[in-house]
Amino acid sequence: MLTNVKKFFGYENKEDRNINEYVPPMALTYGGIYASFGAMNLSAAYRSIELISDGIAMLPIQIKKLNSKGKNNYLINHYLNLLFDNDNKQMSKYLLIKQLIQSVLVRGNGFAYVERAKDGTPINLQFLDSSDVVINYDKYNGTLNYTCSQISALPIPPSNMIHLRKNSYDGINGISVLTFAKRSLDLASNVENSASDFYGKGGNVSGILKVNTNLNKEQREQILSTWNQSFTNSNTSIAVLQGNMEFQKLSLNAEETQMLQTRQYNVGDIARFFGVNPVLLGQKDSSSYTTLEMVQTDFLIHSLMPYISMIEEEFKLKLNPDKNVKIEFDVNYLLKTTKQTEASYYSTLVSSGIMTVNEVRKELGLSELEGGDKLTMAFTDVNQNTIADASKSVNEVNSYNEEKNLI
């Protein structure tokens, strides 16, 4: 408000900028990643990236193998478990996955170098900043390799480089979500700047102080000084205007610009780019779900599963050639409900013959019980309750059922 008044009275001084004013930087360090457009200064973008990266990083990784009975066995001593639980590496499994997902979201590409033993077995995964990796792709010859000076002067083959990318035009070079959301992020950033500027001036608006008579320089400076003392920064003192003076407003206030509504809209707009339900960003009026379980299920299916599938397939391709071995994230961790609901869920599965008692106990982290591998269904005749024994082969189960029918 004071700028135009100073110009009107012919009073000029050097521009005074408040160094504490909110100005999004062009490059902001974020977990070793440089986010363009100051996106991480915006709460909606920051929280969306945190929700997705943390949501995946905290999931347990399970190594399973399909046995002859058609059942998945957990491979506790498999070398892949040792790879993710290696205590000698510089970065934990949680931080590795979190950094990879952040890099994909912010930079478009996530890289990790696969260190191997002499026999080719993976022994460590080293996270690489995407700015340190050069993708060498010849689309005409179909050749691909990577260059990273901190790893080797020689080209790195694709088999030794975990390369995650979600959005891409050629399937090789990833594109950040921030690139597509640039306009929305710029709009949100401008609104935040306007809010900071408005409230930094105590909610005062810019304008011109009109005087119907001619003033000399001394009079102009005196009026300007008095006005400055009343309306500098957050000062909200009352100014007294004489009969021949009039204040004409030039800028719009927060209500006229619908600043609050625009900020709320920006949250939903940014959430759409990241595929996150706005209710998880604090907009409780933006959801039609009635329970937290429904929100969590929506978050898992629409927000996390595309990234989880991307990581599982890349790990499977680069870390393990055995088709019978699966590398999976345990998504049940996100679907935990109340104890009463969980008890009812498992009770229904056991009584319907879908899961055995020992399978349920294993998911709950409990030890197995003798005789707990039998699938049962509730019948009037107690002798018919057992329908199969999960510990036996298919032929043994069929023979058992035939003998039972002959009795």
Side-chain angles (χ1 to χ4, degrees), residues 333-356:
Y333 186 84
L334 286 175
L335 300 178
K336 289 184 177 180
T337 59
T338 62
K339 294 297 182 182
Q340 183 177 359
T341 304
E342 188 176 24
S344 176
Y345 166 74
Y346 283 121
S347 177
T348 303
L349 292 179
V350 172
S351 62
S352 301
I354 299 175
M355 293 183 70
T356 67

Side-chain angles (χ1 to χ4, degrees), residues 35-37 39-40 45 49 105-107 175-183 185 274:
S36 300
F37 317 129
M40 300 312 299
I49 294 175
L105 289 167
V106 179
R107 301 296 295 277
I175 303 174
S176 168
V177 177
L178 302 185
T179 301
F180 299 103
K182 181 181 183 302
R183 181 174 296 180
L185 293 172
F274 285 98

